[in-house]
Amino acid sequence: MVLQYEKCDESNLEQLLEISKKTFSDAFETDNDPNDFKTYLNVAFTKEILNSAINNPNIAFFFTYLGEKLVAYFKLNTSEAQTDVKLSESMELERIYVLKEFQGRGIGEAILTKIKKIAFESEKAFLWLGVWEENQRAIKFYQRHGFSKFGTHPYFIGTDKQTDWLMRYDLVNFIPK
């Protein structure tokens, strides 16, 4: 399986909005209050917010393609764009989403390897992320790939206060392929 990666820019805004809403809804809609979820979706995923993020030099969105088909996307933050840890030696993996019909094919693992390589080549000491404590499948995925819990933070879906595990991967362990 050969994946291709494309850094997003303003020309990708509509497609980024579409895949962001779809993958987030597929992943979490059934596990949340419908009103809170709708409110969150309509605030977090707007053209204005995504356009602002695309134009922030400390934020990068990437599309992942399998052949000509868009199958996933991810978002990386550095410097002050990071949500919690704002160290120069860290990079945040804020989002990594694979379209439902492409899950279970090793795409997430390949993307995570690509992300580790990006962080390593950017001379970061560690990569970190937040993952909902109820998302045991994702937590186990990250643990299998060398991430460990180092804290928690609150995450709001509408008015529902949830808890994310903060997990990190020390890049000293990474050997680029």
Side-chain angles (χ1 to χ4, degrees), residues 7-142:
K7 187 174 180 190
C8 297
D9 61 27
E10 287 181 355
S11 70
N12 305 116
L13 186 60
E14 289 292 334
Q15 200 172 19
L16 181 60
L17 182 63
E18 183 180 321
I19 194 171
S20 296
K21 284 184 172 184
K22 176 162 184 37
T23 54
F24 193 82
S25 294
D26 287 349
F28 301 114
E29 186 171 20
T30 59
D31 297 322
N32 286 279
D33 173 81
N35 292 327
D36 279 331
F37 192 82
K38 183 178 178 184
T39 298
Y40 178 82
L41 209 60
N42 291 330
V43 170
F45 299 106
T46 66
K47 284 183 187 178
E48 295 76 22
I49 290 199
L50 289 177
N51 191 52
S52 176
I54 284 173
N55 287 296
N56 184 325
N58 296 313
I59 296 174
F61 287 94
F62 290 85
F63 284 155
T64 304
Y65 293 92
L66 180 59
E68 299 293 315
K69 182 72 176 163
L70 176 62
V71 297
Y73 85 103
F74 59 93
K75 178 183 182 189
L76 303 174
N77 300 326
T78 58
S79 191
E80 292 300 313
Q82 296 177 89
T83 57
D84 281 88
V85 180
K86 296 181 188 288
L87 301 173
S88 61
E89 65 266 21
S90 65
M91 179 179 284
E92 177 186 18
L93 168 55
E94 185 177 352
R95 296 183 190 156
I96 178 173
Y97 288 100
V98 177
L99 287 165
K100 188 188 283 189
E101 61 267 30
F102 293 96
Q103 292 177 2
R105 299 185 190 186
I107 292 172
E109 182 175 348
I111 293 170
L112 191 55
T113 299
K114 172 69 173 177
I115 292 166
K116 288 176 180 178
K117 185 175 181 183
I118 290 169
F120 179 83
E121 290 173 350
S122 299
E123 300 181 351
K124 301 301 179 186
F126 66 96
L127 181 65
W128 71 276
L129 56 86
V131 59
W132 187 28
E133 68 181 351
E134 300 295 325
N135 192 348
Q136 290 300 308
R137 182 173 172 229
I139 289 169
K140 287 178 179 150
F141 171 80
Y142 293 121

